[in-house]
């Protein structure tokens, strides 16, 4: 067997472990999934799992990174489809809210993420993906004068916290009007940031 074939098999095993772990983590949560369940679903041995990940937490971290990168890419694509920088910002924020209300994403990204990694590590991962896009958009809008001059970091953290909390609240809401009401409330909150 050539090195190229082995490398391809290793990558396929890693991909399968990530796919099956993500499915299980999103379905029942990190705490309820055992390694034996993961390797059984992936059709690999525990040795193969440990070849790629040194622990269940390391496997979860890789799944979380994948989810956060996908959400960030979705936000960026939604924002980039707009011409105006303000529209890019508001559409990006709305895209985050929509993506993060998906129960599978929400459980991994907003519920288990901080619990498994710890607040500091989770926050650092968030800031490297969606948080970075938010801070960049705010920086541009402040530079243009669309938003009054102010420090970006506090504003980005406040907006991120508000949107994360809204997504978590929507996950437990049973009122069918809450998603649209929340999108409208977010639009009004963002509009209040604009320079008059």
């Amino acid at each position: 067997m050539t090195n190229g074939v082995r490398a391809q098999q290793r990558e396929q095993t890693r991909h399968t472990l990530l796919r099956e772990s993500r499915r299980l983590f999103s379905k029942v949560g990190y705490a309820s999934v055992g390694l034996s369940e993961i390797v059984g679903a992936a059709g690999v041995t525990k040795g193969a799992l440990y070849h790629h990940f040194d622990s269940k937490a390391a496997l979860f971290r890789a799944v979380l990174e994948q989810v956060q990168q996908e959400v960030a890419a979705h936000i960026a694509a939604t924002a980039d489809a707009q011409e105006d920088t303000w529209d890019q910002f508001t559409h990006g924020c709305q895209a985050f809210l929509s993506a993060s209300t998906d129960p599978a994403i929400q459980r991994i990204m907003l519920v288990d993420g901080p619990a498994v990694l710890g607040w500091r590590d989770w926050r650092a991962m968030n800031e490297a993906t969606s948080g970075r896009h938010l801070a960049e958009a705010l920086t541009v809008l402040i530079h243009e004068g669309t938003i009054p001059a102010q420090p970006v970091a506090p504003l980005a953290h406040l907006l991120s916290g508000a949107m994360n909390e809204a997504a978590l609240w929507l996950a437990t809401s049973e009122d069918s009007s809450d998603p649209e009401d929340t999108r409208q409330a977010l639009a009004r909150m963002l509009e209040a940031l604009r320079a008059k």
Side-chain angles (χ1 to χ4, degrees):
M1 186 180 300
T2 67
N3 286 342
V5 172
R6 278 193 214 116
Q8 188 177 14
Q9 287 176 336
R10 282 192 300 271
E11 185 55 34
Q12 181 59 42
T13 298
R14 185 177 195 285
H15 174 76
T16 302
L17 284 165
L18 286 171
R19 183 188 69 233
E20 292 304 317
S21 297
R22 180 174 177 171
R23 182 181 63 77
L24 292 166
F25 291 150
S26 67
K27 183 178 176 185
V28 297
Y30 175 84
S32 298
V33 177
L35 288 179
S36 58
E37 190 174 0
I38 292 168
V39 296
V44 300
T45 64
K46 280 192 180 178
L49 183 144
Y50 284 121
H51 176 76
H52 294 280
F53 305 99
D54 63 6
S55 65
K56 180 176 145 184
L59 176 57
F60 179 82
R61 176 184 286 275
V63 168
L64 177 58
E65 286 172 352
Q66 184 182 67
V67 169
Q68 286 189 323
Q69 288 167 0
E70 287 172 11
V71 169
H74 171 70
I75 292 167
T78 301
D80 290 347
Q82 306 301 312
E83 296 288 326
D84 178 74
T85 54
W86 178 256
D87 291 340
Q88 290 173 347
F89 170 64
T90 58
H91 281 77
C93 288
Q94 293 287 357
F96 171 81
L97 188 62
S98 295
S100 62
T101 55
D102 176 323
I105 289 174
Q106 190 174 68
R107 171 169 252 158
I108 291 170
M109 193 170 79
L110 299 176
V111 177
D112 285 343
V116 175
L117 270 58
W119 180 253
R120 181 170 291 169
D121 285 352
W122 177 83
R123 190 82 197 117
M125 286 179 70
N126 186 57
E127 286 179 16
T129 53
S130 301
R132 180 177 49 83
H133 292 295
L134 179 59
E136 288 170 357
L138 290 169
T139 300
V140 169
L141 290 167
I142 290 169
H143 178 74
E144 292 176 349
T146 305
I147 294 177
Q150 59 191 289
V152 170
L155 182 57
H157 281 85
L158 284 167
L159 290 174
S160 178
M163 290 186 286
N164 285 340
E165 181 59 30
L168 288 169
W169 174 69
L170 284 172
T172 60
S173 170
E174 295 179 11
D175 188 331
S176 63
S177 65
D178 283 344
E180 183 56 30
D181 289 347
T182 303
R183 282 190 278 282
Q184 290 178 14
L186 176 59
R188 287 189 298 273
M189 184 177 80
L190 297 176
E191 187 62 33
L193 296 174
R194 289 182 93 162
K196 303 297 181 224

